[in-house]
Amino acid sequence: MFRSLYLSLTSCCLLISSDSLHAEDWRYSLRAGAASVPRYSGSDERVVAPLLGAKIISPYGVFLDTQKGLGWAFDEDDFGLSVYIGASDVRKDRKSGFKGSDELDGMGSIKSRPLLGLDGTYNMGPIILGATFEHALEKDDDDHDTGSAWNRLKLSISTPFYEGDYGKLVGSLNSQFGDSNYVRTWYGVSAAQASRSQFRAHDTHGGLVSRGADLTWSLPIDDQWSLSTVLAVQYLANDAADSPIVARRMQTSLAGQMVYSF
């Protein structure tokens, strides 16, 4: 059903364009790079995974992004807003390529499901306030542990530290919150999961999930090429930090990619 809806929305967005629009009204970008990340949130195992992506933005603000999905964005000098429909993250209970870990054997895999997102930013001089809300639809009403619908909220504040000949350096602080379904899905261990895995049962509640910081450096090479590097740190809190699946509360990731815009 989600695939059919996604294709239908994509077709509608492509049909919005008319003969009066010029090619330069559309914006395109391609991304390629690599990231060193934990195998799952709370893991002490790491993996280096490729980063490949693309984005198309129409003159009407409608976009198609391999990272976010299909959506619409509005952006002025002080305020930005985007809504989108995409796919939620996954977690495998076995090591499979760049995903999952054998440490989670018996926990069951968290499968991707349709996700609705709302992303807003507000500029206060050099300070940028951000908020992202995501709602993942129910995957399977028979699987309470890994298939429930959930909500996640991320609040952030960022500011540029440097902008000059060597590009732009932006620092950001953030806090992430989840409802009871979100925390249970990603960090809880039910009695059934405990009986199948190496972990003890762990009850969870909604609330603060983590606090973190990001440092982003972007360097334009010419009018079309640019280099972007992101160092991100998340420190798990509350029921997420106390989960028996969490081997390391401090989660770090490092990503670098080349971006070609045209």
Side-chain angles (χ1 to χ4, degrees):
M1 180 184 69
F2 173 60
R3 182 176 296 177
S4 300
L5 175 62
Y6 189 87
L7 292 175
S8 299
L9 289 173
T10 304
S11 301
C12 289
C13 292
L14 294 177
L15 290 173
I16 287 176
S17 62
S18 64
D19 294 338
S20 61
L21 295 176
H22 300 288
E24 57 266 27
D25 293 329
W26 293 75
R27 288 179 290 165
Y28 309 86
S29 63
L30 300 173
R31 308 183 297 270
S36 173
V37 296
R39 280 202 161 267
Y40 65 89
S41 181
S43 175
D44 59 357
E45 299 177 274
R46 302 191 66 83
V47 61
V48 177
L51 294 176
L52 298 172
K55 186 174 184 178
I56 303 173
I57 304 176
S58 82
Y60 299 100
V62 177
F63 65 84
L64 182 61
D65 189 347
T66 54
Q67 182 176 4
K68 277 190 172 181
L70 178 67
W72 173 81
F74 169 82
D75 193 12
E76 286 194 342
D77 292 338
D78 297 329
F79 178 72
L81 178 69
S82 67
V83 292
Y84 54 92
I85 178 171
S88 67
D89 288 337
V90 302
R91 189 185 73 191
K92 296 182 180 294
D93 62 354
R94 64 189 183 283
K95 189 176 292 186
S96 177
F98 305 107
K99 298 288 186 179
S101 170
D102 293 338
E103 294 295 315
L104 298 174
D105 184 34
M107 288 291 294
S109 294
I110 302 173
K111 298 179 181 178
S112 181
R113 76 285 303 269
L115 180 144
L116 306 176
L118 177 65
D119 192 4
T121 58
Y122 182 70
N123 293 12
M124 300 175 58
I127 303 298
I128 302 173
L129 303 178
T132 300
F133 175 79
E134 293 182 333
H135 171 73
L137 303 183
E138 187 175 66
K139 180 65 177 178
D140 188 349
D141 56 5
D142 293 329
D143 195 342
H144 180 73
D145 297 329
T146 61
S148 298
W150 51 255
N151 298 298
R152 183 182 73 93
L153 174 65
K154 180 179 180 180
L155 302 177
S156 65
I157 179 171
S158 59
T159 187
F161 292 151
Y162 168 83
E163 187 169 7
D165 295 338
Y166 300 100
K168 185 176 182 179
L169 185 66
V170 177
S172 174
L173 299 175
N174 64 76
S175 296
Q176 298 193 52
F177 304 84
D179 65 4
S180 58
N181 284 344
Y182 177 87
V183 182
R184 186 189 67 249
T185 299
W186 293 96
Y187 303 99
V189 182
S190 68
Q193 289 174 318
S195 67
R196 301 189 304 259
S197 70
Q198 61 173 316
F199 305 111
R200 57 175 172 81
H202 177 62
D203 292 330
T204 59
H205 305 84
L208 179 67
V209 175
S210 68
R211 300 181 181 92
D214 301 342
L215 195 61
T216 304
W217 174 59
S218 55
L219 176 65
I221 298 174
D222 56 29
D223 291 339
Q224 293 181 309
W225 289 94
S226 63
L227 173 66
S228 176
T229 303
V230 180
L231 172 64
V233 178
Q234 288 290 320
Y235 189 77
L236 297 175
N238 298 339
D239 286 347
D242 294 335
S243 173
I245 74 168
V246 172
R248 181 172 295 168
R249 293 186 177 186
M250 183 73 74
Q251 300 283 280
T252 61
S253 61
L254 178 63
Q257 58 184 348
M258 293 292 296
V259 182
Y260 177 68
S261 304
F262 58 101

